[in-house]
Amino acid sequence: MSNDLAQILEKLKCDYLANLPPRIAHMEDLWHKSEHKLLKTEFHKLKGTGKTYGLPEISELGLVAEDLCQTEARTQAVPVIFDLLHKIHSNRINGKVFDLAATLEFQKLTAMRKAA
């Protein structure tokens, strides 16, 4: 990969991360307004964009979140999902990879998804 392309991709990732907190705030607002269909759509967007910008943990969480948003488990799951999104963002802006699969919270979400 050329150095220019690598720089462009890194800039896109940084821009994505910079725009993540307002996206999370919007999703939290949808949650508080019980706009579950719109929230599901936002989780779907995360599922699709995370890997594109080199943030696979966002895509993984988006997939589970999208599915759980349609179940009764959403009452317990969605606040945990938001917390994980904030943790992912915090780690990534500090240059750290976030091992989502290793977190107990994500393991519980995955189990909830399988049970639903």
Side-chain angles (χ1 to χ4, degrees):
M1 181 180 333
S2 77
N3 201 24
D4 290 340
L5 181 57
Q7 288 176 338
I8 290 169
L9 292 174
E10 187 60 31
K11 169 82 169 93
L12 289 171
K13 182 195 274 185
C14 288
D15 290 347
Y16 183 90
L17 285 169
N19 289 311
L20 192 56
R23 288 182 73 183
I24 297 169
H26 173 67
M27 289 184 284
E28 289 171 330
D29 187 50
L30 292 173
W31 173 245
H32 293 301
K33 291 178 179 177
S34 297
E35 296 282 355
H36 301 138
K37 286 184 181 181
L38 293 174
L39 182 59
K40 177 186 175 282
T41 299
E42 293 301 316
F43 288 145
H44 178 79
K45 290 176 187 177
L46 288 178
K47 178 180 77 173
T49 59
K51 283 184 184 176
T52 302
Y53 290 94
L55 305 161
E57 66 272 29
I58 290 179
S59 288
E60 292 172 40
L61 185 57
L63 172 67
V64 172
E66 181 182 14
D67 289 347
L68 285 171
C69 191
Q70 302 175 84
T71 70
E72 292 301 317
R74 70 178 166 254
T75 303
Q76 294 176 318
V78 171
V80 174
I81 292 163
F82 290 143
D83 184 55
L84 286 170
L85 282 170
H86 287 291
K87 287 178 181 177
I88 291 168
H89 177 260
S90 177
N91 275 265
R92 285 300 192 146
I93 62 168
N94 289 307
K96 300 175 188 169
V97 174
F98 187 80
D99 188 357
L100 181 66
T103 68
L104 183 59
E105 296 97 332
F106 187 70
Q107 292 168 14
K108 287 180 181 179
L109 292 173
T110 302
M112 292 168 92
R113 179 178 176 232
K114 288 179 184 175

